[in-house]
Amino acid sequence: MKMKSLQSRSERIASSPWNEKKLRSLRTALAGWYKITKRDLPWRHTTDPYAITVSELMLQQTQVVTVIPYYERWLRVFPTWHVLAKAEEKTVMKAWEGLGYYRRARNLQALAKVIVEDGGAMPRSEERLRELPGIGPYTAAAVGSIAFGLPLAVLDGNVMRVLTRLLALREDIARPQTRIKLQAIADQFLSRADPSTHNQAIMELGATVCLPRKPRCLICPMKKDCMGRDQAEEFPVKTRTGIVKRVETVAILRRGKRFYCEQVPAGKPWHGLWRFPDFDSTRMEEDQIITQIRYGITKYSVTMKTVSARWKLRACQTGCYLTAGEMAALAFAAPHRKLINLLGNLP
Ligand code: SF4
């Protein structure tokens, strides 16, 4: 119901100023450019809906070059929905370790379980795809178009940048109304004859030519019709949410060659991953800090201070002392994995 109401709202909104003839020539130019210049990426050699879903979830918030080795390893360890559905959660988390946004790994396994229960095949309609766990509008459009040829236009950050520049659209993309308008424009622009190539082409254009800074307009297949080309870096307009600085402190507790670590319980960020325990910073002197690691997560810029502690563990502690080998076999939150790599050099 929600999706239908969004669609009908989007249909009521005036779309692009292009007529059908212009749209056809833009689509042809974009698809022609893509076929000649596209990057050779492993997920472009398959039409397997499972592999395409894995790639799409991994690519959300993550660079292509980071994703490639994870994607290849994932498909070796979990080659099908069935294997993924039956895997232990700790194996799934370990395979995702370092990619971040771990909810994607859990969603992927939850999705595998639902698909296996339903007979092992992904549904081939937008409505049924959107009912699956972890599948939002973007993933439904990407998987639906690339794996099944459904006429669904993708709208991600790259596509929004390309469209706002093409049309010199100065509306704030953080506003839901602007997203609805852009979705309507993307729907109108989509090639019904080959939605897979069209979607991949416009995302590729955003990733390799219509870059956030210094777009490469001279080699762009859309340059003749781009209305925002002369001020490209002014698009898209987006109200910024402020970055919030945060400091946290963790403790290193040693027992011989073992280190005390905890598994993050359900309901907390990094749930299911391992980490070093929190330390009450009110008990800390600045000179106790043995190292600092900085990392970003959502809107937070975090400084993680580390102290060497000697306190006794409370009876309710849920962690255990682990050797280097045991820590290597478990999935750790990324900043805590960095800390493990530093352990040999710490005082
Ligand atoms: Fe982007 Fe430049 Fe192409 Fe316009 S001409 S779509 S600004 S790369």
Side-chain angles (χ1 to χ4, degrees):
M1 281 303 288
K2 191 178 164 195
M3 194 171 55
K4 276 187 184 160
S5 82
L6 271 183
Q7 277 178 339
S8 55
R9 281 169 72 192
S10 109
E11 280 157 11
R12 285 201 302 272
I13 291 169
S15 299
S16 75
W18 301 313
N19 61 26
E20 192 47 44
K21 191 173 167 207
K22 175 57 73 184
L23 282 167
R24 267 203 305 276
S25 84
L26 287 171
R27 287 177 199 131
T28 305
L30 180 63
W33 166 82
Y34 176 70
K35 282 179 182 156
I36 294 167
T37 60
K38 68 181 174 184
R39 291 168 294 175
D40 183 15
L41 302 175
W43 44 88
R44 289 185 174 157
H45 294 280
T46 180
T47 50
D48 174 9
Y50 169 66
I52 289 165
T53 308
V54 170
S55 71
E56 287 300 335
L57 286 179
M58 285 187 171
L59 286 164
Q60 288 169 18
Q61 327 270 357
T62 312
Q63 305 251 338
V64 162
V65 350
T66 308
V67 166
I68 290 172
Y70 279 91
Y71 170 83
E72 290 176 332
R73 197 168 53 236
W74 185 278
L75 289 185
R76 281 197 299 275
V77 180
F78 314 113
T80 63
W81 290 119
H82 287 81
V83 176
L84 178 59
K86 280 192 279 177
E88 279 190 68
E89 186 181 316
K90 69 176 183 189
T91 317
V92 172
M93 300 309 279
K94 183 66 189 164
W96 200 273
E97 185 187 11
L99 260 188
Y101 299 96
Y102 289 84
R103 185 179 297 177
R104 296 179 295 172
R106 283 195 201 90
N107 284 343
L108 199 46
Q109 193 178 32
L111 179 59
K113 288 178 181 171
V114 170
I115 286 173
V116 168
E117 273 169 24
D118 285 354
M122 269 191 119
R124 290 172 172 246
S125 75
E126 181 187 17
E127 205 166 17
R128 296 277 320 283
L129 282 169
R130 290 283 301 274
E131 286 168 1
L132 295 170
I135 301 284
Y138 168 78
T139 313
V143 174
S145 62
I146 298 169
F148 306 127
L150 295 175
L152 304 170
V154 292
L155 187 70
D156 68 351
N158 282 329
V159 177
M160 285 196 279
R161 185 167 60 255
V162 172
L163 292 179
T164 53
R165 286 175 175 176
L166 280 173
L167 297 166
L169 186 74
R170 285 188 193 276
E171 294 178 30
D172 182 359
I173 61 163
R175 295 174 66 223
Q177 293 92 324
T178 309
R179 302 260 175 142
I180 293 168
K181 185 171 187 172
L182 285 170
Q183 184 67 59
I185 293 166
D187 292 347
Q188 190 194 26
F189 190 19
L190 181 71
S191 161
R192 259 66 186 166
D194 190 353
S196 168
T197 298
H198 179 95
N199 277 336
Q200 293 184 78
I202 194 165
M203 289 192 283
E204 183 82 346
L205 189 75
T208 61
V209 174
C210 195
L211 302 167
R213 290 202 196 111
K214 300 201 175 135
R216 304 161 71 201
C217 300
L218 284 177
I219 59 161
C220 178
M222 323 296 277
K223 61 178 184 273
K224 280 200 215 118
D225 296 286
C226 180
M227 294 183 242
R229 185 182 156 186
D230 292 338
Q231 321 89 38
E233 292 192 33
E234 293 175 19
F235 302 97
V237 174
K238 187 177 182 190
T239 47
R240 302 252 165 238
T241 47
I243 296 291
V244 180
K245 289 192 175 179
R246 203 169 74 185
V247 176
E248 60 189 28
T249 313
V250 298
I252 301 280
L253 286 138
R254 285 173 201 249
R255 191 180 277 169
K257 290 190 173 173
R258 292 170 181 266
F259 295 87
Y260 182 80
C261 300
E262 296 173 332
Q263 191 171 23
V264 181
K268 296 203 166 190
W270 293 333
H271 138 223
L273 300 180
W274 286 78
R275 53 162 295 164
F276 292 92
D278 279 325
F279 184 80
D280 177 2
S281 57
T282 59
R283 298 165 47 193
M284 181 188 74
E285 304 291 336
E286 277 300 310
D287 61 5
Q288 266 185 282
I289 298 167
I290 51 177
T291 189
Q292 299 196 145
I293 288 171
R294 290 199 169 79
Y295 67 94
I297 184 163
T298 60
K299 62 176 182 174
Y300 296 102
S301 166
V302 184
T303 302
M304 185 174 92
K305 299 181 176 181
T306 305
V307 298
S308 179
R310 293 186 177 275
W311 31 269
K312 286 194 179 148
L313 298 172
R314 297 187 304 276
C316 64
Q317 295 285 167
T318 53
C320 53
Y321 282 89
L322 300 171
T323 62
E326 287 164 337
M327 289 192 286
L330 294 167
F332 272 73
H336 293 257
R337 172 62 68 197
K338 269 192 198 161
L339 188 50
I340 291 173
N341 296 337
L342 293 174
L343 282 177
N345 302 322
L346 296 180

